[in-house]
Amino acid sequence: MDALKKLFGGNTRQFGMIFALVALIVLFQILTGGLTLTPDNVINLFNGNSYILILAIGMVLVIIAGHIDLSVGSVAASVGIIVAITMRDWHLPSGVGILLGLIIGAVIGVWQGFWVAYVGIPAFIVTLAGMLLFRGLNQFIGQSNTVPVPKDFTYIGAGYLPEIGPDTGYNNLTLLLGLIGAAAVVYFQLRARREAKALGAEVPDQWVTVTRLVLIVAAILYATYLFATGRPGTSFPIPGIILGVLVLIYGFVSSKTIIGRHIYAVGGNRHAAELSGVQSKKVNFLVMMNMAVLAALAGMVFVGRSTASGPFDGTGWELDAIAAVFIGGAAVTGGVGTVIGSIVGGLVMAVLNNGLQLLGVGADLTQMIKGIVLLLAVAFDVYSKIQGRPSIVGLLMRGIGGNGGNGNRGVPAQPDETTKTTEVLARES
Amino acid sequence: MADQPVILQMQSITKEFPGVKALSNVSLSVKAGEIHAICGENGAGKSTLMKVLSGVYPHGSYSGDIVYQGEIQEFKDIRASEHAGIVIIHQELALIPELSIMENIFLGNEPAKRGVIDWKEARRRSIDLMARVGLSEDPDTPVKDIGVGKQQLVEIAKALNKSVRLLILDEPTAALNESDSQHLLDLIRGLKGRGITSIIISHKLNEIEQIADSITIIRDGKSIETLDVKADGVDEDRIIKGMVGRALESRFPDHTPKIGEVLFEARNWTVQHPTVPDRLVCKHSDFFVRKGEIVGFAGLMGAGRTELARSIFGHSYGKFLEGQTFMHGREVKMHTVPQAIDAGLGYVTEDRKTLGLNLLDDIKSTTVAAALKKITKGLVVDMNREYQVAEEYRRSLRTKAPNVDEGVSKLSGGNQQKVVLAKWMFTDPELLILDEPTRGIDVGAKYEIYGIIQRLASQGKGVIVISSELPELLGLSDRIYTIFEGAITGVLDKDEATQENLMKLMTQARKNAAA
Ligand SMILES: Nc1ncnc2c1ncn2[C@@H]1O[C@H](COP(=O)(O)OP(=O)(O)OP(=O)(O)O)[C@@H](O)[C@H]1O
Ligand SMILES: [Mg+2]
């Protein structure tokens, strides 16, 4: 028991989201009689949720900066239809279509960012307006029709790594990717540990690091195995690659670059940030704009997967993305959250969805269960923070992929001398 | 005093936070009707002890017993302790700025019939309560429109409304000037006359010496001793000896100023109030700071010292009307904070909670927050450098924290101030403006901070110190400007400045002073 505590960050109640994710997968694996962890299902699960996970990456930054974006589904749909129609009517190649989509996303982002950052309208309002505006735009441009996209465009939503090299019975590129991934994790984790030790910082016991590494590597290799042994023609999906690249980039940007620090600073205390020389308007603008670009990308991935753009694409996506972010440990008040946490949060929702579907549970019940899970997950997080311990997601994220640092942002419920509001509230109730 | 019954006994209180034992076996015994002071260095555990007493940390989250009025109490929240007549006024005020004085006084205790507030009754009672604390304002005045001194009085009125028997004041005068402090202390003495027991925490030891009947000293989470002020003939030096465990020879480190040429100069600096169009908060101010010089800014609360500093620092306060700033004799324009930082300025705000710190951050990222570029290679923040830098400052400033990964919200007030100082020292400014740098800081740490300020000056930097504590300005500054209602009314060299002539310049316009 003691060992478990150490391994998972100091407390058995702290298994948190990662543990929940693993437990959920195991649970459904048992309940479905082994249907969950089959190559086909895992690939399917990834493909069917990649666009939400892409949104979650942008959304967590928006939420860390203290805003929210309700328009992502509508923006995705608008971009989808414009790209689909221009490609059809002007016979654009897919690459140009994708580029065009990203540019439109950026333009929409400039529009929303302008209102939020420079006019000072709350993002909730700006993006609520955007939600209506861009949904309408989608239906206006597409005249509420469904517009198909060319075959090669579907690659970004439904493509797989090609088969190359000798016939090993596995998909070679997937294997390669998995091995590189595992090696990179080991390398970065060990390097981070070495550096921390050299600085005299506290490092976890050797066996903790090793056990963690073994677990992570085992998980990666098992996933690799699943992806590499799917139906002929399938392998690691392209949306998965896009997502992986985005996670690396944004995980890095958010934790290790100046702009990343500034996003946390603005969300944590805008005044203090400004007096430290942070240009909060610029930060807000960039964060909103970035979200719209990622929404455009998510929209196109979805269109690629469903081979057409329709008038109701993207409805409700904003809620899924926001739920993922909060399950992943972000705070409603801003300043707290991680990219990887949000991905884990999104995966929890995805696995839940998928497992219930496999079990034949109806959409009505599924929604109810998802609602409860969101509530419980955040309640759990709040509870752990009252206990004064950083959230498990944060703790575990510190080492993974060398992407350390910003995880440990748990808000203590009784910060010294800052409890004034809570205390006033406590007296009131 | 000695034969008075004991109203409160805290017996071997131990309180742990993850990784920190904030209190270990602390005992405190308070007699009915006395004013009992608690003294100790920053992070000694004073606030924590009071939070245990008042139910902020509920029964079960600490060990030990609270015996109050002869019974063991197990407060489960603040409400429970208030019910027993224990009211705490926190280190930082807990008033709602937008609400009126009256609404604040009754917040959570509204006189109501079946849930509907009886405003007539509220008004009648608030006028009465306000009279008792010496407030003559209209009860409908929003709290944000009265000064900090009066806000403190509103807090006390609020406590009186809860029929308080034991009043706890955590650094009530930290943000007050001398006359407001004096008024508050008189009031506390008045309450004592009416049988209200007070526990007061303060780093202003002269006040403690003046007002307290007994003093309990806490060091590193342990209760060291309890002194009877009269019987033991306690003075400031005696208190300091208890707090730091040794005598402190002097309050200011030795320092021989090496003053060079003019580093920074402001001419005709004029700034308008951000919302009131025809009110000037800085009136045609001229001043300069030389290399290696420590310049003090003296003035009453609201005189416009902070406003002046912040408007210079990248126009971050008010509306700029006219004026010029010069560094090394060349004019520099500083319209934004980044420009000011680039020009070599640093500004440590007086209000660390709302303006100085991101409470979600840890020590290390706060330390580097204003100078991220210095530890960035290409696009990447070098986290190892960050750790090293933060660790260096933690050591040299002697910040009390287990390590630099600790969240700043978990530090005691004084240690938070040190982290803010570290943040600005790391930007390595040529001119550092310190706004109330030792507010809420214990004597030992003050000495250290004075030393740091003097070291910066010896390195040829200019330092501006804004402070409401005249002894501090007198001890530290090479030259002192006085400000009254936004205008500079005089400047005195170290050897000609005294409390009296400063006070005179601080309270009257220039022409009167000259006359
Ligand atoms: N919520 C918390 N979580 C973790 N540690 C805490 C918390 N609150 C206080 N501490 C730690 O407990 C110790 C005592 O803090 P406390 O605030 O009681 O000091 P203090 O004597 O009031 O100091 P100051 O004079 O600076 O206000 C400090 O080391 C502080 O870092
Ligand atoms: Mg304190």
Side-chain angles (χ1 to χ4, degrees), chain A residues 256 269 276 417 423 427, chain B residues 79 90-91 357 381 423:
Chain A
K256 296 209 167 181
N269 182 344
S276 304
E417 282 123 35
E423 278 159 15
R427 280 176 216 173
Chain B
R79 230 185 152 71
H90 284 278
Q91 196 156 357
L357 282 176
V381 176
K423 169 168 113 178

Side-chain angles (χ1 to χ4, degrees), chain B residues 65-90:
Chain B
D65 286 327
I66 299 176
V67 183
Y68 173 69
Q69 299 195 312
E71 278 170 45
I72 292 190
Q73 305 284 347
E74 303 185 344
F75 301 129
K76 66 179 201 307
D77 55 17
I78 307 174
R79 230 185 152 71
S81 68
E82 282 182 357
H83 197 73
I86 300 176
V87 179
I88 181 164
I89 297 180
H90 284 278

Side-chain angles (χ1 to χ4, degrees), chain B residues 338-356:
Chain B
Q339 279 173 1
I341 294 177
D342 286 344
L345 264 62
Y347 169 66
V348 178
T349 120
E350 61 174 336
D351 182 351
R352 60 175 171 260
K353 281 288 158 53
T354 55
L355 300 174

